[in-house]
Amino acid sequence: MLMLKKHTLAYFCSSKSWGGLEMNQLRNAKWMSERGHEVCILAQKNSKIDYEAKALGIHVEYILPHKKYLDVFAAFRLAQKIKNLNVTHLIVRDPKDMSVCGLAKRLSFRKFALAYFMEMQIGIPKRDFVHTMRYSAFDCWVCPLPWLQKQVLEMTRYPKEKTHIIPSGIELDKFFEAIPSDQAKATLDLDVNKKYIGLAGRYDPQKGQMLLLEAFNKIKNEVDYNVVFLGEPTHGEYADYIDWLKEFVRANSLQGRVHFRSFRDDVETFYAAIDVFVMGTKAETFGMVTIEAMASGCKIVGSNKGGTVEILDYGRLGELYESGNGADLADKLMRAIQNQNFDSEYLKNEARKYDANRVSEQVESLFQYL
């Protein structure tokens, strides 16, 4: 059996935000550390990822903010840090970090592999000379889904042989081993005798809470289901959005049938409490919440754009509605609710391809040959 080498991995994250991209960077650093690799996070001091990494016992090296393009001084500093840390692989997820990391590799006297893990879709073609040169510094471009690999090949000049498909992963056990549904409902202060349609995500127009309310309002007299939202407001943005949602509830006499719950760390309890999960975003690049719902054995209704289409295998694993169309979402909700052949255990098994250990093994195999 081939013995995998242990590497010194540096995860570069200049962002001070805390969203899916930053969470995935930290999660993967944690998993690779647990598998015996030397790991550090390169981040700004006092950023959210700085605090979270330290809480997990992961070493953090500080970096300064950098310009998006051609920041030679920042690149020199990064090259020196990579040399001092004996880094073998530098991992990037944010497109805004690609230029400085690529330039650092070109300026470095120490050979290391530079890997880009794609988290966002490409908005416009980037086949020009400048982008082609920037991307050429990267030894691999990892895409979480086939449609994103196709996008890379069509919208850039990056070589196909250097692209790889490795899905984003999650730790599945906590979803597989969640508390029973009635206990979860009681924990969320919900009626244990009711069934629920759920949506998890920050209270933000882009997450589709209003779309779900509009769809539910169309079928409220045909189903005995209620709706529950899990989330919290986006910090500093859309402060009045949740008030707008609650006003819709009042105006349409949905009090008692629509419930708002604050975000909680044990999200598996939320999924255990619901029966149908809705992905309300118009076009999620990947959608970790969809994987979480799969691992929880929920019926799923998602939009027919973005990564949700491939995660749900073009409708085989869940219903797909026309993105942004409340009437079609209502129709697909009815189909999901009325589906008597739904097999929750089959769906849970399908989620295993996203298991953190399986994903980490794929990353290790890739890094072995870079």
Side-chain angles (χ1 to χ4, degrees):
M1 181 178 178
L2 179 65
M3 294 296 293
L4 293 177
K5 294 183 291 187
K6 298 303 178 184
H7 305 297
T8 301
L9 310 177
Y11 290 79
F12 190 95
C13 184
S14 67
S15 169
K16 300 192 80 169
S17 300
W18 188 242
L21 184 152
E22 294 81 14
M23 291 178 187
N24 277 342
Q25 191 78 316
L26 181 58
R27 272 195 291 257
N28 281 262
K30 171 180 174 287
W31 298 336
M32 298 303 275
S33 176
E34 291 171 346
R35 297 174 74 86
H37 301 279
E38 193 73 28
V39 168
C40 75
I41 299 284
L42 302 178
Q44 291 193 56
K45 189 174 184 178
N46 297 325
S47 61
K48 178 67 171 176
I49 196 170
D50 173 23
Y51 294 128
E52 295 293 331
K54 287 176 179 174
L56 293 173
I58 295 176
H59 178 64
V60 179
E61 287 280 334
Y62 294 131
I63 57 173
L64 296 173
H66 62 78
K67 299 175 186 175
K68 187 173 181 181
Y69 302 116
L70 295 175
D71 193 332
V72 177
F73 294 109
F76 266 120
R77 291 194 298 268
L78 177 57
Q80 185 61 48
K81 195 172 290 289
I82 287 169
K83 177 183 177 183
N84 293 341
L85 293 170
N86 294 315
V87 170
T88 60
H89 296 72
L90 180 64
I91 297 97
V92 183
R93 274 184 162 79
D94 193 331
K96 297 190 293 292
D97 292 335
M98 294 182 80
S99 176
V100 70
C101 290
L103 191 54
K105 179 168 182 178
R106 297 188 189 284
L107 296 173
S108 178
F109 292 105
R110 175 178 174 78
K111 185 179 184 304
F112 65 91
L114 181 56
Y116 177 58
F117 282 70
M118 188 180 192
E119 293 277 346
M120 307 175 192
Q121 56 185 302
I122 301 172
I124 58 174
K126 297 182 177 180
R127 298 174 61 85
D128 57 277
F129 175 77
V130 173
H131 280 97
T132 300
M133 285 299 296
R134 181 176 302 134
Y135 298 154
S136 68
F138 285 78
D139 297 284
C140 67
W141 187 312
V142 179
C143 310
L145 291 168
W147 79 281
L148 290 168
Q149 183 191 44
K150 184 173 184 288
Q151 196 177 73
V152 172
L153 299 179
E154 291 177 348
M155 301 182 76
T156 77
R157 295 186 182 278
Y158 195 78
K160 180 179 181 179
E161 64 273 14
K162 294 171 70 175
T163 65
H164 305 268
I165 299 173
I166 301 177
S168 296
I170 63 173
E171 295 171 339
L172 295 176
D173 287 347
K174 67 179 182 179
F175 298 98
F176 292 157
E177 300 167 3
I179 60 178
S181 178
D182 56 349
Q183 187 177 338
K185 289 173 182 176
T187 301
L188 294 176
D189 195 23
L190 300 172
D191 190 332
V192 297
N193 297 311
K194 299 288 186 179
K195 292 187 176 182
Y196 292 88
I197 299 165
L199 187 155
R202 66 183 184 274
Y203 291 114
D204 182 322
Q206 297 180 21
K207 294 300 181 182
Q209 287 94 348
M210 181 57 76
L211 184 70
L212 174 53
L213 284 180
E214 291 171 349
F216 181 69
N217 195 45
K218 295 177 185 295
I219 64 172
K220 63 184 179 183
N221 296 324
E222 302 175 57
V223 299
D224 59 357
Y225 281 60
N226 289 345
V227 171
V228 57
F229 295 111
L230 183 79
E232 57 188 9
T234 303
H235 182 67
E237 299 180 60
Y238 310 116
D240 58 351
Y241 180 61
I242 192 167
D243 294 330
W244 184 34
L245 297 174
K246 290 180 177 179
E247 177 55 33
F248 184 95
V249 170
R250 287 190 292 270
N252 291 278
S253 303
L254 293 172
Q255 301 96 321
R257 298 197 66 185
V258 176
H259 309 274
F260 297 88
R261 297 294 181 264
S262 298
F263 179 79
R264 50 193 301 134
D265 290 331
D266 60 335
V267 292
E268 65 275 12
T269 299
F270 169 77
Y271 292 105
I274 66 174
D275 303 274
V276 181
F277 173 78
V278 172
M279 166 56 81
T281 310
K282 286 186 177 180
E284 195 76 38
T285 303
F286 187 80
M288 299 299 288
V289 289
T290 305
I291 308 302
E292 293 171 351
M294 288 176 63
S296 303
C298 301
K299 293 179 177 179
I300 301 173
V301 182
S303 66
N304 64 352
K305 287 186 178 179
T308 306
V309 178
E310 288 189 349
I311 291 174
L312 295 182
D313 196 15
Y314 302 89
R316 185 176 67 87
L317 302 176
E319 300 292 339
L320 294 170
Y321 68 93
E322 183 181 348
S323 180
N325 187 327
D328 194 41
L329 173 55
D331 290 341
K332 296 307 191 298
L333 275 170
M334 289 299 298
R335 286 182 57 173
I337 289 170
Q338 295 170 353
N339 182 3
Q340 300 298 315
N341 298 317
F342 176 72
D343 187 341
S344 63
E345 291 304 316
Y346 180 83
L347 194 63
K348 289 180 181 181
N349 192 57
E350 286 288 310
R352 293 185 184 279
K353 69 183 72 170
Y354 305 103
D355 177 68
N357 286 323
R358 184 175 297 187
V359 169
S360 297
E361 287 174 359
Q362 293 178 63
V363 173
E364 280 182 327
S365 295
L366 172 61
F367 285 178
Q368 184 79 357
Y369 299 103
L370 292 182

